[in-house]
Amino acid sequence: MTTAGIIGTGFAILLFVLAVFLGLTSRWAYKTWPKLNIEETIYHLTAPIEGTGGGIIEGFLLCGIAWNRLGVGTFIRNQTTDDPFIEENYADPAKTAMEFPEKKRNLVYIFLESMENTFTDFEHGGGFENNYIPELTELAQENEDFSGSEENLNGGLVFNETSYTIAGMLAQSSGLPLKVTLDSAFLTNKGRFNWMDTQEHFYQNATVLGDILEDQGYQQEIIMGSDGAFGGRELYYTEHGHFGILDYYYCLDKGLIPEGYYHFWGFEDLMLFQVAKARLQELSASGQPFNLTMLTVDTHFEDGYKCDLCRDDFGDDQYANAIACSSRQVAELVHWIQEQDFYENTTIILCGDHTTMDTDFCNPVDPAYTRKTYCTVINPAVEPADPGRRREYSTLDLFPTTLAAMGVTIEGDRLGLGTNLFSGQDTLVEQLGFEEMQERLSHKSDFMDKLANIQVTEELMDQVQ
């Protein structure tokens, strides 16, 4: 970028930030989103709002965010300076040799909304006296969570650019952060920063898990209890792998849920897992390998959703009860799958999409505690190269790790910015440390702009005026 371009872009960004944020206060925003950062704020302000529950956006617009708490100054500086870090460390799946086993393995991938290792007790490496997720704790200990010889649960670190649902889903299936393009052309329409809802493509030039499995003949579906359009999820999964999108409206239209049924954001996890069981039986009967992805919702902030299966084990703490209920339901689904004939050739991955954004649930947790997503791999086709080694990794590493768990041999054991955790290769976090990697990811990336290939046309500009 030329000096003039840098100055122009920086000035345009500055004007936008001033227009949006000056005169606003941080009290409400930080009560609602204690770990809020500027990248996530911009994404949620500009993404389509269908499926957003609880008046979140409306509440945000009535209050605001302070300059210093969000790190706006640093954000502006980073967006005017290209950093080749991502390009230099990117292992392009389109150029990486991969060998699938002769008998392809099925995949069940469950994104667990806001699920953290933090929710277990001190004894198991959590942040609380109570263990809110005993069933998930047991699953992690019985299966592979990359904790090595240690008893404490292990999970994935979360970068700012992977800290909300669609970003977490992208990270785990592509090894890439969700970087929002900032350019002066994007600031001509009331400071709008993200155009995914107006695009025909979502990271068109990236090769991701769905693309790879589609090329191998997999049936692919994703089930979610909300509107698939929210956050660009439907666009991403149809673009990369032609997934069947079983969202709230699809399930309603096809009679998979009762007419008029609506709970929380659409349908709750109780219904999600009923739909999933039916789909797993049909997919497994076809004789074709399948990838069934799910996204839970009951543990979404604020305070989660109390379904008919929830108990009051933790009194009037609704979020704790919702978390505990989710743990029981997920474990029940896993145990059901393990009883099915197709399980022998099926790998199950459970991973939190990001750490929780609930207002105050983690307030009692020691500020020095390192919060990570919950993650475990069940019935993998391989064992870790060093079974006693506890890995330090981010959710970006789940991309190659998923394929390796399915028995796929990956040249170099790296895809995207991720490293196969079953291998002996160091992750980028192990090489650089979390803080340095976060700093490098925070900068503008021309490489990511090329992968995203956002199209801003005159017709589009007229459309969104």
Side-chain angles (χ1 to χ4, degrees):
M1 182 182 290
T2 66
T3 301
I6 292 173
I7 294 173
T9 300
F11 183 67
I13 295 170
L14 179 60
L15 287 178
F16 166 71
V17 173
L18 284 171
V20 174
F21 296 113
L22 283 182
L24 302 178
T25 66
S26 64
R27 184 176 181 183
W28 178 87
Y30 268 84
K31 183 178 179 183
T32 304
W33 292 304
K35 296 183 66 178
L36 196 63
N37 58 71
I38 186 66
E39 292 91 348
E40 183 182 340
T41 302
I42 288 173
Y43 185 84
H44 281 298
L45 278 175
T46 59
I49 64 173
E50 292 84 357
T52 303
I56 295 170
I57 299 300
E58 294 87 344
F60 177 90
L61 294 175
L62 289 173
C63 302
I65 301 170
W67 185 282
N68 290 334
R69 293 291 298 274
L70 278 173
V72 173
T74 300
F75 177 75
I76 292 174
R77 182 176 67 251
N78 288 348
Q79 298 311 312
T80 59
T81 308
D82 175 62
D83 189 331
F85 172 79
I86 295 177
E87 183 174 13
E88 291 173 351
N89 289 279
Y90 183 69
D92 189 348
K95 300 176 181 178
T96 302
M98 286 176 257
E99 184 177 348
F100 277 73
E102 183 176 350
K103 185 177 183 181
K104 296 184 176 69
R105 201 171 186 83
N106 304 314
L107 174 65
V108 176
Y109 201 115
I110 309 179
F111 290 100
L112 304 177
E113 174 62 48
S114 301
M115 191 60 71
E116 305 186 30
N117 285 345
T118 316
F119 301 155
T120 192
D121 53 18
F122 300 137
E123 180 183 353
H124 297 97
F128 294 91
E129 291 185 4
N130 292 315
N131 187 351
Y132 298 110
I133 54 169
E135 297 83 7
L136 289 177
T137 299
E138 185 176 359
L139 283 175
Q141 292 186 314
E142 291 178 347
N143 296 283
E144 187 56 65
D145 72 341
F146 305 103
S147 58
S149 58
E150 296 187 19
E151 290 294 322
N152 290 349
L153 269 58
N154 196 14
L157 293 161
V158 176
F159 296 108
N160 291 342
E161 296 79 7
T162 66
S163 63
Y164 47 101
T165 297
I166 183 58
M169 298 172 87
L170 176 72
Q172 295 178 38
S173 58
S174 73
L176 288 168
L178 182 48
K179 297 284 292 179
V180 180
T181 300
L182 299 179
D183 185 88
S184 57
F186 282 58
L187 301 174
T188 58
N189 181 51
K190 301 179 182 178
R192 186 172 190 150
F193 277 74
N194 188 290
W195 296 82
M196 288 303 182
D197 57 316
T198 66
Q199 297 293 294
E200 295 181 2
H201 304 285
F202 194 125
Y203 277 64
Q204 179 184 14
N205 296 326
T207 298
V208 311
L209 179 64
D211 300 314
I212 295 168
L213 297 185
E214 181 183 28
D215 288 345
Q216 292 292 324
Y218 277 71
Q219 306 172 82
Q220 302 193 90
E221 295 183 354
I222 180 168
I223 311 175
M224 61 190 89
S226 55
D227 184 353
F230 180 56
R233 296 174 299 186
E234 181 176 9
L235 179 60
Y236 176 63
Y237 281 98
T238 53
E239 170 93 18
H240 296 283
H242 293 94
F243 281 67
I245 309 296
L246 281 67
D247 68 350
Y248 169 73
Y249 293 105
Y250 176 92
C251 291
L252 194 63
D253 181 62
K254 298 298 181 181
L256 301 180
I257 60 176
E259 183 178 353
Y261 194 90
Y262 193 93
H263 292 279
F264 205 28
W265 286 38
F267 57 82
E268 75 279 58
D269 296 342
L270 182 158
M271 187 62 70
L272 174 81
F273 294 146
Q274 289 183 27
V275 173
K277 288 178 180 179
R279 292 306 305 144
L280 282 167
Q281 290 174 328
E282 293 189 28
L283 290 168
S284 62
S286 71
Q288 187 179 351
F290 64 82
N291 165 23
L292 182 66
T293 298
M294 288 170 255
L295 172 63
T296 69
V297 72
D298 287 5
T299 48
H300 200 285
F301 79 106
E302 183 67 22
D303 294 332
Y305 178 75
K306 186 177 180 181
C307 75
D308 291 342
L309 297 179
C310 285
R311 305 195 297 245
D312 293 322
D313 294 346
F314 301 101
D316 60 358
D317 190 336
Q318 179 169 309
Y319 200 55
N321 290 323
I323 291 168
C325 187
S326 179
S327 178
R328 291 191 298 271
Q329 288 191 70
V330 172
E332 191 278 330
L333 176 66
V334 169
H335 294 149
W336 179 87
I337 294 173
Q338 290 173 327
E339 295 172 353
Q340 308 307 307
D341 292 340
F342 62 81
Y343 173 67
E344 181 181 0
N345 194 46
T346 299
T347 294
I348 306 171
I349 296 182
L350 311 175
C351 194
D353 57 349
H354 52 73
T355 52
T356 186
M357 290 182 279
D358 187 79
T359 301
D360 54 7
F361 187 73
C362 287
N363 283 355
V365 177
D366 185 341
Y369 179 86
T370 300
R371 291 168 58 183
K372 299 179 179 180
T373 61
Y374 173 89
C375 185
T376 190
V377 181
I378 300 169
N379 200 26
V382 292
E383 297 293 329
D386 184 354
R389 180 184 181 187
R390 184 180 179 88
R391 303 305 301 262
E392 284 297 310
Y393 69 96
S394 76
T395 52
L396 297 167
D397 296 301
L398 270 295
F399 176 31
T401 301
T402 296
L403 286 164
M406 298 170 68
V408 180
T409 302
I410 305 167
E411 180 184 21
D413 287 309
R414 294 197 66 251
L415 292 173
L417 297 182
T419 299
N420 170 17
L421 296 173
F422 288 101
S423 75
Q425 293 272 16
D426 286 349
T427 66
L428 289 176
V429 171
E430 288 169 333
Q431 294 176 39
L432 303 174
F434 179 80
E435 290 76 13
E436 180 177 344
M437 191 171 172
Q438 175 63 82
E439 199 282 328
R440 300 296 298 272
L441 289 176
S442 298
H443 285 261
K444 174 179 170 57
S445 171
D446 290 341
F447 175 73
M448 291 298 295
D449 290 351
K450 293 175 184 176
L451 286 182
N453 192 29
I454 300 291
Q455 300 296 311
V456 182
T457 65
E458 289 186 9
E459 180 181 357
L460 175 61
M461 297 301 293
D462 292 338
Q463 173 187 339
V464 297
Q465 290 296 331

